Amino acid sequence: MRFPFPHTGRPAHTTRPGRALPRRSLRRAAVLLAVLGALLPAAGSAPSALAGHPAHPRAAAPASEADGGDGADWKRAFLASVDHPDAPPPGADDPGCRPDARHPRPVVLLHGTYENASSNWSHLSPRLKADGYCVFAANVGAPPGDVLKGRAAVPLSARELARFVDRVLERTGARQIDLVGHSQGGGILPRQYLKFAGGTDPADPARNKVHHLIGIAPANHGSTVSGLATLAQRLHVLAPAAAIGGQSLADQTIGSAVNLRLDAGGDTLPGVRYTTVVTRRDLMVTPYERQYLHPAQPTHPVTNLTLQDICPQNRTGHMGTPYDPLVVRLVRNALDPSTARPPECAPTTGSD
């Protein structure tokens, strides 16, 4: 049995009935989205490139992460996902998997904006499965069949995530999950779920549904998107851009209503452990320092990791982080410190 995500019944982006957007604003928004598209997978040409692709982009892989890290890996995985945008990545959504004493919590993987579970996690998911985890991968923020997920308003996607987590807990019999996410899926979205959609219980943190949130290149406090979001705000075309590209784009900008409400009172909640894995070469969630979390209380455990502090020559950018061997090792260490080992610093080719 897979864990399909029911469509919320609302489109991923809407405008007010009866109010047409000005043509000038639409043209400006389209230009900005085109530039943004240069930093993201080129979905428009993907289907023709997929002739003969198998149902899954990659077969289940061994536990070693040393064979990953090519900056093109995420692009290949995205292209391979176009024909099956709702499929789980290899190793995920096993209906018979039950957590054991060594790994008592299932791992839920959450994709980023304009990504999907298969494109985001085809490298990490089989490795976590080989480590002995029960792995489940959510698809949120877009209707079934849409390859570009994560576009809906963040609060709507948080409610989708809440339903997914509840199904995982019910199916596995576990009390809590560990959540690993990328970009939006590692930052603003799971934090919205934790704070406002039932992921934690402020009155009794022992009843929290999430034990550990690990954010890879997480969109935690808004982004300038290398200046594009700032430009959109100054040109007053952020709303038209969001109407075209999805409300989550606006929600993830610095000073958005979602970010302001989420950050009020501090970054963290009691009973949850937080880890961020950040690259200084990130061109999407910028400035990269906004990815870090700060404990709301001294007792809240937060670990902020920067790839270049560990391996100075690492050249991985935002999109390539889930496929980078260093990131994979850091995630595995964070999930199970008892089996942690020092990461190996191998040369990387870099990625967008």
Side-chain angles (χ1 to χ4, degrees), residues 195-257:
K195 192 169 185 178
F196 298 118
T200 58
D201 186 340
D204 185 4
R207 294 172 58 87
N208 289 354
K209 296 177 182 179
V210 177
H211 169 77
H212 194 168
L213 170 59
I214 302 173
I216 301 171
N220 272 318
H221 301 296
S223 171
T224 69
V225 194
S226 293
L228 286 177
T230 304
L231 178 62
Q233 290 171 328
R234 291 177 177 174
L235 292 177
H236 305 289
V237 296
L238 185 58
I244 297 170
Q247 180 58 35
S248 69
L249 297 179
D251 289 346
Q252 293 176 83
T253 58
I254 296 172
S256 73

Side-chain angles (χ1 to χ4, degrees), residues 63-66 123-124 127-128 131 277 305 307 310 321-322 324-337 339-345:
S64 172
E65 68 272 11
H123 184 67
L124 181 61
R127 283 151 181 80
L128 295 183
D131 285 345
V277 181
L305 302 172
L307 300 185
I310 301 166
T321 46
D324 182 72
L326 174 57
V327 173
V328 170
R329 171 45 52 193
L330 294 175
V331 169
R332 294 166 78 184
N333 287 353
L335 285 171
D336 187 1
T339 62
R341 69 174 193 253
E344 298 180 3
C345 292

